[in-house]
Amino acid sequence: MNVGGTAYRSLWTDPVDGSLRILDQTLLPHELGIRRLATPEEVAEAITAMRVRGAPLIGAAAAHGLALGLEREAGDHALEATRALLLATRPTAVNLRWALDEVTRAVRPLPPSERAAAAARVARRIADEDVARNRQLGEVGLELLRAAWEARGGRPLRILTHCNAGWLATVDLGTATAPLYLAHAAGIPLHVWVSETRPRNQGGALTAWELGQEGIPHTVVVDNACGHLMQRGEVDLCLVGTDRTTATGDVVNKIGTYLKALAARASGVPFYVAAPSPSIDWTLEAGSDVPIEERGGDEITHLRGRTAEGDDRVVRVVAPGSPVRNPAFDVTPAHLVTGLMTERGVAQASRAGLRALFPDEAP
Ligand code: MRU
């Protein structure tokens, strides 16, 4: 996407030295900082520290990390050790395992001398295919948004999203944002409610920044305001991303997604999930079987921000000594999901619905 007239992806390979470049998302929305990652350890740190985050981007970054590791050492033991290092970074997004499997499957039959170059090719393909898949998903979503807008008699379409399923969470374009960007370009008037997404504020910091760059009208609200807005008829549809959707259509996404789906059902608001195929875990049935990341309590007890003078500050906001708990994702059961937007069309959130679109993959 464009930032200040320059086109960026959220990661890319340096054409000169082959290292990985990322936009360090811990610096946004204050500054656009580029970071160089030259080893799998640096890539693992970037994923763990959430310099890169969002399910598809985590997968693409890990694939590049494995390729960087194979440049250093390409024997079977090194391949398995680097894969394990990267796989252990974050537990919930299935794209991480998917991308590492894609690279591993391609290089394992090769002699070590050929593995690094082959892995780099697969990593670049994963990144390029992510962009193409998001565009296809965006076109599917565009038609759905167009119909919803027409049903509103041409008044602006009011969409609520959560967390950041934008271009920063993918290699480019985003999943939940792809239909928004295409609809905006097609002249469909939108207004996006951006839910702040405590504790790390991916909505307020990242999604709002993205939409602002594109000139899409939006308003940031605290997470707790979303039920109120839906109850008052101020939301036409919800559209969120997913870190892992099971073969039966249960959706695991950023903590707070489930509450929004409940409020949407109670208020008769359609609840859509942008679910590209690498985010679907065909090996799992129930959302309750997905490992849910528990993050550090400091994300709850403290807030990080930048002063008007440009100083980064961390301040405590919770009573000292009170215990805290920080689950990072939750499960929205399939029956609360109106539809799964995929690159092949909108699937009903069920085994049969997914099987109809993905007959080769669905069990
Ligand atoms: O913890 P994060 O910021 O990596 O969580 C991101 C989300 O939950 C996104 O909604 C999800 O990955 C979909 S991204 C296209």
Side-chain angles (χ1 to χ4, degrees):
M1 300 291 287
N2 266 290
V3 185
T6 305
Y8 286 95
R9 283 183 169 189
S10 54
L11 63 67
W12 65 97
T13 308
D14 185 285
V16 178
D17 69 3
S19 65
L20 184 62
R21 300 294 161 112
I22 59 159
L23 300 178
D24 185 344
Q25 298 188 27
T26 61
L27 301 175
L28 286 167
H30 311 297
E31 67 187 81
L32 193 68
I34 297 171
R35 196 174 173 98
R36 176 177 185 269
L37 308 175
T39 67
E41 290 76 19
E42 287 174 359
V43 175
E45 189 278 338
I47 298 173
T48 307
M50 294 179 67
R51 302 182 196 285
V52 284
R53 40 133 316 269
L57 183 60
I58 291 170
H64 283 86
L66 190 48
L68 289 170
L70 290 170
E71 255 173 42
R72 195 171 57 193
E73 203 183 332
D76 288 353
H77 179 72
L79 171 62
E80 292 312 323
T82 308
R83 184 179 186 284
L85 167 84
L86 291 159
L87 191 59
T89 50
R90 294 193 71 191
T92 302
V94 71
N95 311 60
L96 176 62
R97 186 187 74 203
W98 171 83
L100 289 170
D101 284 352
E102 290 280 300
V103 177
T104 308
R105 231 191 334 267
V107 303
R108 211 181 254 140
L110 300 176
S113 59
E114 292 175 20
R115 284 178 174 173
R121 278 196 300 275
V122 177
R124 282 197 298 272
R125 172 174 64 73
I126 286 172
D128 289 342
E129 287 180 358
D130 177 70
V131 182
R133 193 182 295 112
N134 294 341
R135 180 159 294 279
Q136 288 168 346
L137 189 156
E139 276 158 13
V140 167
L142 168 62
E143 291 321 311
L144 198 146
L145 296 190
R146 194 192 301 280
W149 171 58
E150 284 167 1
R152 264 183 67 70
R155 279 168 294 148
L157 192 62
R158 302 158 306 173
I159 295 157
L160 186 143
T161 193
H162 186 52
C163 193
N164 173 260
W167 70 269
L168 291 166
T170 65
V171 178
D172 205 355
L173 212 54
T175 59
T177 54
L180 307 182
Y181 291 137
L182 297 190
H184 182 63
I188 297 173
L190 304 174
H191 178 269
V192 184
W193 295 110
V194 177
S195 133
E196 182 190 24
T197 319
R198 275 284 284 147
R200 289 189 65 101
N201 297 332
Q202 291 96 326
L206 304 177
T207 303
W209 180 81
E210 280 193 25
L211 296 174
Q213 295 294 322
E214 292 301 307
I216 296 183
H218 63 281
T219 303
V220 179
V221 291
V222 297
D223 300 316
N224 290 338
C226 296
H228 171 72
L229 294 173
M230 289 191 240
Q231 193 180 48
R232 289 170 64 109
E234 296 188 46
V235 179
D236 297 313
L237 64 90
C238 296
L239 178 50
V240 302
T242 180
D243 290 82
R244 190 181 311 216
T245 287
T246 68
T248 61
D250 285 350
V251 169
V252 179
N253 192 47
K254 181 54 56 190
I255 193 78
T257 303
Y258 172 48
L259 276 178
K260 286 171 180 65
L262 283 172
R265 174 57 53 92
S267 302
V269 175
F271 190 90
Y272 287 97
V273 177
S277 55
S279 301
I280 301 171
D281 186 345
W282 303 108
T283 71
L284 288 187
E285 302 274 308
S288 54
D289 290 337
V290 175
I292 300 291
E293 179 177 14
E294 295 265 347
R295 296 188 58 86
D298 56 323
E299 293 182 350
I300 296 179
T301 54
H302 291 74
L303 283 178
R304 172 184 297 275
R306 188 168 284 189
T307 66
E309 291 73 39
D311 298 324
D312 288 332
R313 290 279 156 77
V314 176
V315 294
R316 174 174 267 279
V317 290
V318 169
S322 288
V324 291
R325 178 157 175 207
N326 189 11
F329 299 93
D330 62 23
V331 182
T332 299
H335 70 88
L336 294 177
V337 176
T338 309
L340 299 168
M341 273 181 204
T342 78
E343 68 270 24
R344 295 198 186 169
V346 181
Q348 194 187 59
S350 65
R351 182 191 299 286
L354 283 167
R355 199 181 268 154
L357 289 186
F358 297 95
D360 298 339
E361 275 125 315

Coordinates of all heavy atoms in Angstrom, one line a residue, residues 6-7 11 35 120 150 162 170 197 238 258 262 336:
T6 N 5.0 6.5 -1.4 CA 5.8 5.3 -1.6 C 5.1 4.0 -1.4 O 4.3 3.9 -0.4 CB 7.1 5.3 -0.7 OG1 7.7 6.6 -0.8 CG2 8.0 4.2 -0.9
A7 N 5.2 3.1 -2.3 CA 4.5 1.8 -2.2 C 5.3 0.9 -1.3 O 6.5 0.7 -1.4 CB 4.3 1.1 -3.5
L11 N 6.6 -6.8 4.4 CA 8.0 -7.3 4.4 C 8.5 -7.5 3.0 O 7.7 -7.6 2.0 CB 8.1 -8.7 5.2 CG 7.3 -9.9 4.7 CD1 7.8 -10.5 3.4 CD2 7.4 -11.0 5.8
R35 N 13.2 -2.4 9.5 CA 14.2 -3.2 10.3 C 14.8 -4.3 9.4 O 14.0 -4.9 8.7 CB 13.5 -3.7 11.5 CG 14.4 -4.2 12.6 CD 13.6 -4.6 13.8 NE 14.4 -5.3 14.9 CZ 14.8 -4.7 15.9 NH1 14.6 -3.4 16.1 NH2 15.5 -5.3 16.8
A120 N 14.4 -19.8 -0.3 CA 14.1 -18.4 -0.6 C 13.1 -18.2 -1.7 O 12.2 -17.3 -1.6 CB 15.5 -17.8 -1.0
E150 N -26.1 -1.1 -1.7 CA -27.3 -0.9 -2.5 C -28.6 -1.1 -1.7 O -29.5 -0.3 -1.8 CB -27.3 -1.8 -3.7 CG -26.3 -1.2 -4.8 CD -26.0 -2.2 -5.9 OE1 -26.5 -3.3 -5.9 OE2 -25.1 -1.8 -6.7
H162 N -12.3 -5.3 14.0 CA -11.6 -5.5 15.3 C -10.2 -5.9 15.0 O -9.9 -6.5 14.0 CB -12.3 -6.7 16.1 CG -11.8 -6.9 17.5 ND1 -11.7 -5.8 18.4 CD2 -11.3 -8.0 18.1 CE1 -11.2 -6.3 19.5 NE2 -11.0 -7.6 19.4
T170 N -0.7 -8.7 6.9 CA -0.5 -9.6 5.7 C 0.7 -9.1 5.0 O 1.4 -8.2 5.5 CB -1.7 -9.6 4.8 OG1 -1.8 -8.3 4.2 CG2 -3.0 -10.0 5.5
T197 N -9.1 -2.5 20.6 CA -8.4 -3.8 20.7 C -7.4 -3.8 21.8 O -6.2 -4.0 21.6 CB -7.8 -4.3 19.4 OG1 -8.7 -4.1 18.3 CG2 -7.5 -5.8 19.4
C238 N -20.4 -6.5 10.5 CA -19.0 -6.7 11.1 C -18.2 -7.5 10.1 O -18.6 -8.4 9.5 CB -19.1 -7.5 12.4 SG -20.1 -6.7 13.7
Y258 N -15.3 -12.7 20.0 CA -16.5 -13.5 20.4 C -17.6 -12.6 20.9 O -18.8 -12.7 20.6 CB -16.0 -14.5 21.4 CG -17.1 -15.3 22.1 CD1 -18.2 -15.9 21.4 CD2 -17.1 -15.5 23.5 CE1 -19.2 -16.6 22.1 CE2 -18.1 -16.2 24.2 CZ -19.1 -16.7 23.4 OH -20.1 -17.5 24.1
L262 N -21.4 -12.1 19.5 CA -22.6 -12.3 20.3 C -23.5 -11.1 20.2 O -24.7 -11.2 20.0 CB -22.2 -12.5 21.8 CG -21.7 -13.9 22.2 CD1 -21.2 -13.8 23.7 CD2 -22.8 -14.9 22.1
L336 N -22.3 -18.5 15.1 CA -22.5 -17.0 15.2 C -21.9 -16.3 13.9 O -22.0 -15.1 13.9 CB -21.7 -16.5 16.4 CG -22.3 -16.9 17.8 CD1 -21.4 -16.4 18.9 CD2 -23.7 -16.4 17.9

